[in-house]
Each structure stands twice: as structure tokens, then as C-alpha cells.
Amino acid sequence: MASDTPEGGGIKSDETLFDLVEHIREADGAGVTELAAATGRAKSTVHGHLSTMRDRGFVVKRDGEYHLGLEFFNYGHHVRARRAVYDAALPVLQDVADDTGETAWLMAHENGRVIYLDGRSEGVDINVNSLIGSWKYMHSNSGGKAILAHLPEQEVDEILARRGLPAQTEATVTDRERLDEELAEARERGYALNFGEDLSGIHAVAVPLVSEGSVVGSLAVAGPAHRLPRERCEGELADRLSAAANDVQLSLTYR
């Protein structure tokens, strides 16, 4: 199974365990034979890992297949709650969705990618829960670009060297020089844009969230291209997000 982590002196048994977890998630449930074939491990090895995870609540067995258990939710909830930016942004996230009639997102970065920490939707038909917790490349996502624009240059270099600039759509910026120009513009104007670079037909605008001189996340509004033309993204939505970011940053300062 392909790994998205840097090469290093990892523990073989740990790699096996995480390969199993990843395949169970991707397959939405799998049996021992399938997992052994997918990971290239012996059935006895796979069964041993599954037994341990089952005892600890990280997998459950239903109809002959193993599925991820709710213990992962317990850990994920803990990790999210420990992010100061999460508590600080919650009060304003729904307000942004209410005021714009679009979907508002809170994003954070780690290991060179951005993750949807939370989202709120008002008056639009979208299941935000389907995206919460999912990872995105930073260069093709408005929230990711808003963060990249405020990271140290060396860190940006490291992220792009590790993750590359893969195309998500025909509109994705895959040239480093052009991306650098976009990031410079984002720093100057205070917001980043995404016009179908992550998902075709979806536009988005995002602002960075800064605490004690470091970027800790971003707030974004996203929606169909016909409802989020450039003029609206650069005007009404950028202004509303900037005001929301000020509230979040004030809360972070005095938390």
C-alpha cells in the first residue's frame, strides 16, 4: 500500500497496523483475506492486529467484515477539541454561514496538508459532515493557500517538495512560480481564492487565522461557481470573512 508519509526508520509492525486501518477505511469494511491481499501480509499477522484493535475498540466485526470502531471518533474529538482555534472559531462559523447563505469552513494545517475541522451550511443542500475530517492539498484549496501565504518560506518549500503540486482539476495551479505569485497576492490583499482548482464548479475564498504571529488555520466560504463569482468573493465574502477572522483572533488573544 502506498504511503503518504516521509521515509524513515519506522517500526514494521506499526506500518502494518496503519496499512490495515487505511484499507479498512478506504474499503468501508473488509475481511481478513482481503486485508491480507491488500497489505501483502500473512493472514495470521492480519488477524493478530485485528484482534488487538477489536479488544481496544478501534475495529468492530459485522457480517464477517471489520470496520473502524467509534474509539477513533473518541480520539478525533479529543484532538479537535485541543485546538484553540476550534473553540475560538465555533461562535462565528455559523454566523458566517447565516450571513452569506453559503457553506462556511474552519480549516487547520498539519504535515503539509489542510483538514476541514468543522463546517456550517445555511440554506444550501450540502452535507458538511461528509467533508469534516478530510484532508486536502494546500496549493489547490483556498483555505490551504491562505495558510501557505503566511508560513515561513522555508516551510513552504518543504511542504511543496514533499507534497508536490498535483492537479486536482484542469484549473489547478501546478507551476511553482505562478503559485508563488498567487501567495504573494494573497498576503497583500488578505485573502486567497480558489476558482475550481480543488473541485470543478466550486469557488471559494478564505482568510488566514493568526495567533501570536503564527498562522493557526483559516476560515473559508465555498459554493457553486454561479453563486460565488469573482466579484462576490473579492467583495462581500472577503469582507465578511475578514471581520470573522478578527473576532476569532481576538478570542485567541484573550483565551
Side-chain angles (χ1 to χ4, degrees):
M1 179 176 293
S3 174
D4 201 21
T5 57
E7 294 181 2
I11 306 299
K12 189 68 175 178
S13 61
D14 291 345
E15 293 176 356
T16 298
L17 187 146
F18 286 116
D19 281 351
L20 292 171
V21 169
E22 289 174 8
H23 186 80
I24 292 171
R25 182 189 62 178
E26 292 168 1
D28 195 22
V32 173
T33 300
E34 178 184 339
L35 289 167
T39 61
R41 270 75 170 192
K43 289 184 181 181
S44 58
T45 299
V46 170
H47 188 269
H49 283 289
L50 291 173
S51 295
T52 299
M53 287 191 285
R54 188 179 183 184
D55 289 343
R56 293 176 175 265
F58 288 98
V59 298
V60 294
K61 190 175 183 180
R62 295 195 298 267
D63 300 325
E65 290 189 338
Y66 290 88
H67 299 262
L68 298 186
L70 286 173
E71 194 62 30
F72 279 107
F73 177 78
N74 182 26
Y75 276 74
H77 181 75
H78 169 79
V79 171
R80 185 173 70 169
R82 294 294 294 172
R83 290 262 181 172
V85 69
Y86 175 69
D87 282 338
L90 278 186
V92 305
L93 200 58
Q94 185 64 58
D95 290 341
V96 173
D98 291 342
D99 293 345
T100 63
E102 304 296 345
T103 305
W105 295 105
L106 168 64
M107 308 189 77
H109 69 291
E110 194 169 81
N111 294 325
R113 294 182 296 175
V114 287
I115 192 169
Y116 290 100
L117 279 185
D118 209 341
R120 294 291 186 273
S121 184
E122 182 62 29
V124 293
D125 185 19
I126 182 172
N127 181 8
V128 295
N129 289 323
S130 66
L131 280 177
I132 292 174
S134 62
W135 293 99
K136 292 288 183 177
Y137 285 102
M138 299 182 77
H139 72 287
S140 58
N141 181 281
S142 64
K145 286 194 281 188
I147 293 172
L148 275 177
H150 291 80
L151 289 176
E153 184 177 353
Q154 181 178 348
E155 188 171 350
V156 174
D157 289 341
E158 291 171 354
I159 288 171
L160 298 183
R162 176 180 175 184
R163 300 294 179 184
L165 295 170
Q168 306 302 297
T169 71
E170 292 182 357
T172 305
V173 175
T174 58
D175 177 75
R176 176 63 191 272
E177 184 175 345
R178 183 180 165 194
L179 178 63
D180 286 341
E181 292 174 356
E182 281 202 21
L183 297 182
E185 291 175 0
R187 278 191 298 274
E188 181 178 353
R189 66 195 175 201
Y191 59 86
L193 299 167
N194 163 20
F195 296 132
E197 299 168 45
D198 189 20
L199 291 171
S200 296
I202 300 297
H203 287 183
V205 55
V207 297
L209 297 172
V210 178
S211 177
E212 298 180 350
S214 297
V215 60
V216 294
S218 58
L219 285 176
V221 169
H226 70 274
R227 288 209 307 264
L228 271 70
R230 178 180 289 272
E231 313 85 71
R232 189 182 181 208
C233 288
E234 295 182 333
E236 168 205 344
L237 298 181
D239 290 344
R240 182 63 186 89
L241 284 170
S242 294
N246 288 336
D247 290 339
V248 174
Q249 289 163 178
L250 188 64
S251 178
L252 286 170
T253 299
Y254 294 102
R255 70 184 187 277

